[in-house]
Amino acid sequence: MRTKQTSVSARDMEKMLAVSPYNRIALEGTEHIESVMIFDTTLRDGEQAPGIAMGSEDKIRIAMALDDLGVDMIEAGFAASSEAEKDTLRKIAANRLDAQVYSLARSVRSDIDAVIDTGLDSIHTFIATSDLHMKYKLKMTPEQVKEKAVQTVEYAKDHGLKVQFSCEDATRSNMDFMKEVLVAVQGAHVDSINIPDTVGVITPRAMSYLISEIRKVVKVPIAVHCHNDMGLAVANSIAAVEAGAKICHVCVNGIGERTGNASLEEVALNLFANYGVETVDMSKIGQTSKLVERITGFPIAYNKPIVGRNAFAHESGIHVHGVMSNTATYEPFLPELVGVDRRIVIGKHSGIHSVRGRLDELGIKFPEDHMTELMAAVKEMAVGGKQIDDAELMTIADHIMWKKVITDRAVSLEEFAVFTGKDITSTATVTVDIAGERRTVSETGVGPVDASIKAIRKAVNDKMSMEEYKLSAITGKSDSICEVTVMVKNVRGDGSLSVGKAVGLDIVETSVDATMAAINRDYARQRNDNGKDNC
Ligand code: KIV
Ligand code: ZN
C-alpha cells in the first residue's frame, strides 16, 4: 500500500462532508475497514470502451497523472495485443512510478512472455470460470480451465512477476468450482485474486455473500472488478469492501467496456465519506477526470456524480439561497474536497439571491431598486433553457444601470488597419485618442482579431486583459451578422471588469467595436463613480 500524500488534512476533509449520520451508525459492530487499495484500469478496460483509443503519449500522461493521484496499482494495457502496446508499456515501466504497474494477460504462455518483454513486474492474468464462458467461448472443460489457470500463475511466478489472478465472469460461476480454482492458484503462490462482475449482473447483497464465501478459502487479498451494466458497479464495489475485499478495480470517469466500470471518483469518495478510508489524493480527482475526458474525447455526463458539470451547479432560487447560507443544505460535500468548482447558474429558475450573489462576486454594486427590472430581463433572456453567462449578466446589468447610451466616448478609435492572409503574420495598426492624446501602435497576433485587440490593448493600457471573448453568428450564412461580446479587465489599471458588445458584418471590425465599447464603458463607470456624469 502506498503512503498517501494529500494536500488537505484528514480533519479538514472531514469538515467538508455532510453525509447521512446513519451511514456510520449502520456500520457499528461490523468488521472495521482499515484500508482499501485502488487498482486503476482506465488504460486497459477503460480503453476497451467503444470509441476510445489512446496513443502512447496519452497513455503515459494518464499513467503519470494516476500515479500523482496516488492509486496503488495501474493496469496500463494488454501487452500481447500489439507491438505498439508493448512499446507503450515498456515506456511506462521505465518511468518507475510509485504505483505497481500491471499488464493484462490471458492464461496463455505467449501473453505472459509479452508482459515479461515489457520489463513490467506485475501481471493480471485471467480465465473464465462460468459454465457459459467455458462452454461457448473457451470450449474447454472445467478441469482444463483449472489446469491452465495454475500453469499460468506458476509460469508468471517462476519469472518473478507479482500476479493477480481473475476468474472472469465470477458472478455467474459455480461457487464450488470457482473456490477450487482459487485454492489451486493460491497454492501456486498467486499474490492476489480478483472477482470480476464481468457483465454487471450481481446485486450488492449477493456480492457481499460471494466475497464472504470466497474469504473462507482465499487468504491472499481479494479484489473486485465491477461493471456497470445495471447501474450497480459502485454499490457492488462498496458491498465487496464491506464484506472484506481489499482492492477495488476502477476507471476514471467510469469508462470501460459497454456501460463502463466502477468509477474511480465515486468509489474513492464513498470510501472516504462513508467509511473514513482514504485511498487517493481526493483534491486531484477533478483534474484527473478532466485530463481523461480530454484525452479520450469521451464526454462526462452533465449529471455524473462528483465530476459532472452539474454536480455542484445550483440554479433554482431555493437551492441557491440555501447553499449561500450553508453549503451543506444542498451539497453532500464541498467541491474543494475533490478539486472541482461550484457554479451558481443564472437561468430560468434563478431567484433574486443567485443574481445578486453573482453580481457581488463579479464586483458589481447593483442598485437594489432596479433589481425587479433586472430579474425581468434575466427571465426574458433565459426562456428556452438558456444559461446566462457572466458577460451577458453584466451587459444586462450595465444596460439597466446606465440607460443612457454612451455617446461621449473617452477613448476613440481614430484609425484602424489590419494586414492578414495565408502564411502571413497578421498585423494590426491602430490610432486611438485618449482625452486628446493620440497614440499609434502596431501589434501582431495569431489572426486579425488577436492582432487588432492586442494593438488596442497596447495603445490603451498594456495591463488590460481580455477575460472573455464570445463570438456568435446571428444568422447561418457567411454574410451573416455576428455578435461579439467581450469582458476586459484593468482598462484603467484598477482591476475592474467591463463588458462590451457589438454587432456587425465583419468579425474583425465587430471585435474591435466590442473592445472599444468595453473600454468606454469602463471610463463611463469612472465618471459615474466620481459623480460627474448622471447616467
Ligand atoms: O470484466 C472482466 O471480467 C475483465 C477481466 C479481464 C478481468 O475485464
Ligand atoms: Zn472488465
Side-chain angles (χ1 to χ4, degrees):
M1 163 93 63
R2 290 181 56 178
T3 323
K4 309 290 168 193
Q5 281 201 326
T6 302
S7 16
V8 193
S9 80
R11 178 130 23 101
D12 283 346
M13 286 208 281
E14 283 276 346
K15 284 192 211 142
M16 295 180 178
L17 300 172
V19 292
S20 169
Y22 302 116
N23 299 350
R24 293 280 169 103
I25 294 171
L27 291 176
E28 280 166 19
T30 63
E31 192 179 347
H32 178 63
I33 302 163
E34 280 290 331
S35 59
V36 176
M37 286 184 275
I38 296 294
F39 181 112
D40 183 279
T41 179
T42 306
L43 297 173
R44 198 280 296 170
D45 212 320
E47 206 205 8
Q48 282 174 219
I52 295 184
M54 299 179 216
S56 180
E57 289 304 311
D58 292 340
K59 282 194 143 195
I60 295 167
R61 275 187 73 193
I62 293 179
M64 296 182 64
L66 290 168
D67 196 45
D68 192 39
L69 180 69
V71 304
D72 300 277
M73 302 158 192
I74 297 172
E75 185 167 47
F78 183 10
S81 66
S82 70
E83 278 307 314
E85 180 83 335
K86 245 204 262 184
D87 200 46
T88 304
L89 289 169
R90 245 179 237 126
K91 289 183 182 149
I92 296 176
N95 266 296
R96 306 237 161 275
L97 303 180
D98 289 333
Q100 192 99 39
V101 183
Y102 286 73
S103 164
L104 184 71
R106 289 164 298 181
S107 288
V108 291
R109 197 169 275 216
S110 55
D111 275 25
I112 315 291
D113 289 336
V115 180
I116 295 167
D117 204 18
T118 64
L120 288 177
D121 56 8
S122 307
I123 191 166
H124 169 207
T125 181
F126 71 100
I127 192 160
T129 48
S130 68
D131 290 345
L132 185 70
H133 277 234
M134 290 190 288
K135 180 167 175 199
Y136 293 101
K137 187 184 78 173
L138 298 175
K139 303 192 190 327
M140 284 165 80
T141 63
E143 290 67 34
Q144 287 168 326
V145 164
K146 184 171 131 191
E147 198 184 322
K148 262 270 173 251
V150 175
Q151 279 171 358
T152 315
V153 173
E154 276 172 354
Y155 186 67
K157 287 306 297 178
D158 285 349
H159 284 82
L161 296 172
K162 205 172 183 75
V163 183
Q164 182 168 112
F165 171 79
S166 285
C167 293
E168 192 189 14
D169 206 19
T171 56
R172 292 187 298 184
S173 297
N174 174 281
M175 181 73 85
D176 291 337
F177 175 61
M178 190 163 48
K179 281 182 177 171
E180 230 181 87
V181 173
L182 292 173
V183 168
V185 294
Q186 194 167 238
H189 308 292
V190 77
D191 296 279
S192 54
I193 63 103
N194 178 38
I195 301 298
D197 184 22
T198 301
V199 279
V201 286
I202 203 162
T203 62
R205 192 178 278 264
M207 178 59 102
S208 176
Y209 164 75
L210 182 54
I211 299 295
S212 313
E213 277 300 309
I214 286 165
R215 274 183 83 189
K216 291 181 185 163
V217 294
V218 167
K219 300 303 160 206
V220 294
I222 300 173
V224 276
H225 175 108
C226 299
H227 277 274
N228 205 28
D229 299 68
M230 294 174 82
L232 289 174
V234 173
N236 285 334
S237 305
I238 299 297
V241 167
E242 280 195 2
K246 294 283 176 228
I247 306 168
C248 286
H249 280 214
V250 294
C251 285
V252 176
N253 299 335
I255 60 175
E257 284 276 8
R258 304 178 308 283
T259 55
N261 289 64
S263 121
L264 180 150
E265 317 67 79
E266 294 168 35
V267 169
L269 191 272
N270 270 284
L271 289 174
F272 175 71
N274 298 322
Y275 299 83
V277 177
E278 209 182 325
T279 52
V280 294
D281 182 346
M282 305 293 286
S283 65
K284 291 185 177 150
I285 282 183
Q287 70 191 51
T288 315
S289 155
K290 281 207 183 75
L291 177 76
V292 171
E293 182 187 38
R294 218 169 35 243
I295 288 179
T296 57
F298 214 75
I300 301 173
Y302 282 4
N303 61 346
K304 162 103 175 51
I306 306 163
V307 290
R309 89 193 277 262
N310 283 358
F312 293 94
H314 309 281
E315 181 180 316
S316 87
I318 296 169
H319 283 221
V320 172
H321 190 200
V323 165
M324 280 178 162
S325 39
N326 184 336
T327 57
T329 51
Y330 290 106
E331 287 177 355
F333 52 94
L334 290 181
E336 302 78 293
L337 175 68
V338 287
V340 301
D341 294 323
R342 173 180 301 116
R343 289 191 310 128
I344 301 295
V345 176
I346 307 297
K348 185 180 165 204
H349 308 106
S350 292
I352 201 159
H353 294 287
S354 325
V355 176
R356 197 186 287 122
R358 192 68 204 130
L359 288 171
D360 280 352
E361 277 165 23
L362 291 167
I364 297 175
K365 291 187 195 75
F366 190 80
E368 215 32 61
D369 52 349
H370 284 69
M371 214 54 201
T372 318
E373 201 181 335
L374 177 62
M375 287 308 295
V378 163
K379 299 265 173 197
E380 192 185 326
M381 195 165 182
V383 286
K386 178 179 159 51
Q387 291 187 357
I388 297 170
D389 63 24
D390 289 348
E392 286 163 335
L393 180 64
M394 285 173 74
T395 310
I396 308 172
D398 265 9
H399 189 70
I400 293 172
M401 278 199 278
W402 304 305
K403 286 259 174 62
K404 180 179 156 214
V405 180
I406 305 158
T407 47
D408 44 344
R409 295 192 154 222
V411 183
S412 61
L413 184 68
E414 302 289 307
E415 289 166 7
F416 162 63
V418 65
F419 182 62
T420 193
K422 186 166 157 30
D423 299 331
I424 283 174
T425 306
S426 297
T427 311
T429 304
V430 299
T431 300
V432 296
D433 182 312
I434 308 177
E437 185 198 333
R438 277 169 77 90
R439 294 179 197 164
T440 302
V441 297
S442 296
E443 261 294 0
T444 56
V446 291
V449 171
D450 188 43
S452 309
I453 291 174
K454 280 185 176 154
I456 295 173
R457 174 174 166 255
K458 196 168 170 188
V460 173
N461 177 358
D462 61 9
K463 298 216 167 38
M464 183 178 111
S465 59
M466 179 68 70
E467 298 292 304
E468 265 183 58
Y469 172 92
K470 208 165 114 195
L471 167 72
S472 40
I474 292 171
T475 53
K477 296 195 181 148
S478 63
D479 62 351
S480 66
I481 291 178
C482 69
E483 183 186 77
V484 175
T485 309
V486 299
M487 189 198 284
V488 295
K489 191 175 179 180
N490 248 348
V491 172
R492 289 169 292 117
D494 65 351
S496 60
L497 291 164
S498 180
V499 166
K501 201 174 207 150
V503 172
L505 285 171
D506 181 274
I507 291 173
V508 184
E509 265 183 57
T510 313
S511 303
V512 165
D513 288 348
T515 309
M516 292 306 296
I519 290 168
N520 278 291
R521 181 146 277 174
D522 196 73
Y523 273 88
R525 184 184 294 127
Q526 179 191 31
R527 289 199 301 272
N528 192 46
D529 290 348
N530 293 342
K532 290 186 194 136
D533 194 328
N534 248 347
C535 323

